[in-house]
Amino acid sequence: MKTAGKPTDSNPWVPEAPAIGPQPAQGNVKRHSGALPDGRGSEADRRTRSDPFSEIASLARTASSRKELLVRAFRQIAECLGSAYAAISVREGATVIEEHWHSGPTDPKFWRGTIERFLTESLGEGIARAELLNPKKGSTRVALLSAPVTDASGAVIGCIALVVTREGEADAMHRLALLESLTRFMSFVVEHAEAAGIAQSRSAAAAPDQSLARSSGFKTPEELAFAMTNNLRNKIGAEQVALGLVSHRRVNILSVSGLDSVATRSQGIRHLRAAMEECLDVDQPIVCQAESSWSCEIYSSGHWLHKQWHASAKGAAVASIPLHAEGRVAAVLSFRRRADETVTSELIEEIRKRAEPFAPSLLLIRDANRGLWQHAVDSAGNAVRAITKPGRVTARVIAVLTVIAACWFAFGSMTYELTVPCRIVAAQSRHATAPFDGVLEFVAVVEGDRVVSGQTLCRFDRRPLEQARAEIIAEIAVLEREKDRALAGASPVDFQLALANQKLARTRLNSLEARMDRATVVSPLDGVVIAGDLRQKVGAVLVKGEPLFEIAPLSSCILQLQIPQRDVDDVAQNMSGEFAVHARPEQAQPMHIIRVKPSAEVTGQKTVYVAEAVMDLNREDPSLALTALREWMRPGMEGVAKVQVGRRPVWWVAFHRMIDYLRMNVWL
């Protein structure tokens, strides 16, 4: 045995000079209770004077598994030594059994970190250890004790560590020796009771199956509880038997023998429920009866709520037993006997063996009768309990983020963007038509070609016009000769007539020459040909005024947004957004709406409202931006536009489509 270790900075205890082994008590040492803040000094002394070895041996006869025997024996050792806080860690194959014990009004967190540190150090050394601590303030002195848990071969597989009060170094060594003896005895009992425990666990495993078969005829937990309480009342000769089902660390009384219904507001039922919940908190049987008949029993009678129930029952013997299922307390069975009748530990174990196999049936029937809402509530409660377990930091962070996201979804708002198809169109365009009836001789451009002002688009055949021009010129020459003859013949009338015909011929010549000039069709502006492909009409006679080409300037392109009927009320003038065409999806351009046409149009079997928008060139040099757009943007390009309608609730953005659908189809 050795002493080692240092206290943590947050613990108000300082180590005493290390002890080298058990020391005899000095004659001038005054014995006192040395109670911790939980006031258990006298109780610890009483338990130390009892026979803990026989108590651990009796546990081997009642435990249903190796794990249960270890845990219950550990609790018995902690109670025997009057520990305020204790911990055990035992390796069982690939699993580790860990359990903590706490008693008294002190906060468990006060000793938790110190005991876990001491337990870890003791596991590494594998020997019994003691660490003596003195308070920085006050006179109470404590000791940290640990002892190893071994298997059948003597190998260390775990350790028990606890904190106890001490009167001196000799007292601490005495308690350490007792702890080591109890731990070794516990290891011996666990190893040699394993075979019997396995057989017992098999029979115990068969008991729930039988109880499930027997309870299959009950439809509700209340019916099964009513049958159990009245049956037990007759078998054990009790005045009253009650059964309560545990739900969220509270006990719901299902049945009280002899009563058709449970009056939850009556004073007796309140005392009964309080006692049941006290048994749930302690997780062990509690008996309260006359001290003269209970002084040699192992179960405690010092619980205040059971004393209150005992007093309200006019001194009758009362007891509560926790019924376990699925590794936890599933129900609590309480009963009352006459004051002159004794409740023994054998009776407690007999009742538990009879009633505990029905605990899984109670849970199964309760779960089978739950509604959808209760299923949701229970699932949420299980999730909360799983998150709040110690060490689940990641789960807590995820839960907090989930709650924040849920609150934002329910009460937050976001910018609602309406996504609609769009198309680039020319804001204005110029048309080129046939200047006269004639034969198309040459075509220079087609749709999509860029043109500049004055560039040749097409040309008509000028030969008929040139022939007509030659005829008019010859006619003018003839009239010139007639004018000279009239002047020579002194005939003023003929002279004036020839002069007038000459002027008429010259006018016809000017008109014909003008038509000849228009035979070559040129572009009226810089832009792109958006309509007109005359390559198949070369050599054909075109009628005057027939459309030839449509030319649009690139600087006046606008967007046409196709707004569905359901969203037209959300779109208004001056709303901004962005658009991107399929040709350049990576280049989103800003835009804003300038007008929304009041009438609907049918486009591709859909009725839409057309909104016109212009591009926003809010950059450092708009001219350069416009030049860059002209390099690739064409009228007729299609894409997608996103209009920022405004801020809307997040839930509305997510579900308004579905809500509108239900309103239109289900009339909600």
Side-chain angles (χ1 to χ4, degrees), residues 33-67:
S33 62
L36 280 172
D38 61 347
R40 292 181 55 89
S42 59
E43 180 70 15
D45 292 340
R46 185 183 68 82
R47 291 191 176 275
T48 303
R49 290 191 300 268
S50 63
D51 186 5
F53 295 94
S54 61
E55 295 171 356
I56 295 176
S58 65
L59 294 177
R61 295 190 298 269
T62 59
S64 59
S65 65
R66 180 185 178 94
K67 177 180 178 180

Side-chain angles (χ1 to χ4, degrees), residues 322-350:
L323 305 180
H324 295 80
E326 300 177 0
R328 59 186 177 89
V329 179
V332 177
L333 180 70
S334 297
F335 63 92
R336 186 183 70 204
R337 305 188 76 180
R338 295 194 305 271
D340 57 345
E341 294 181 337
T342 302
V343 178
T344 63
S345 58
E346 289 77 9
L347 178 62
I348 295 293
E349 293 303 325
E350 180 185 356

Side-chain angles (χ1 to χ4, degrees), residues 14-26:
V14 295
E16 189 178 298
I20 310 302
Q23 302 290 334
Q26 302 297 326

Side-chain angles (χ1 to χ4, degrees), residues 28 36 108 138 144 199 202 248 287 298 325 353 402 410 458 532 538 543 625:
N28 57 352
L36 280 172
L144 304 181
R202 289 177 179 174
H248 306 301
V287 178
I298 63 174
K353 290 179 180 179
T402 303
C458 66
V538 175
V543 181

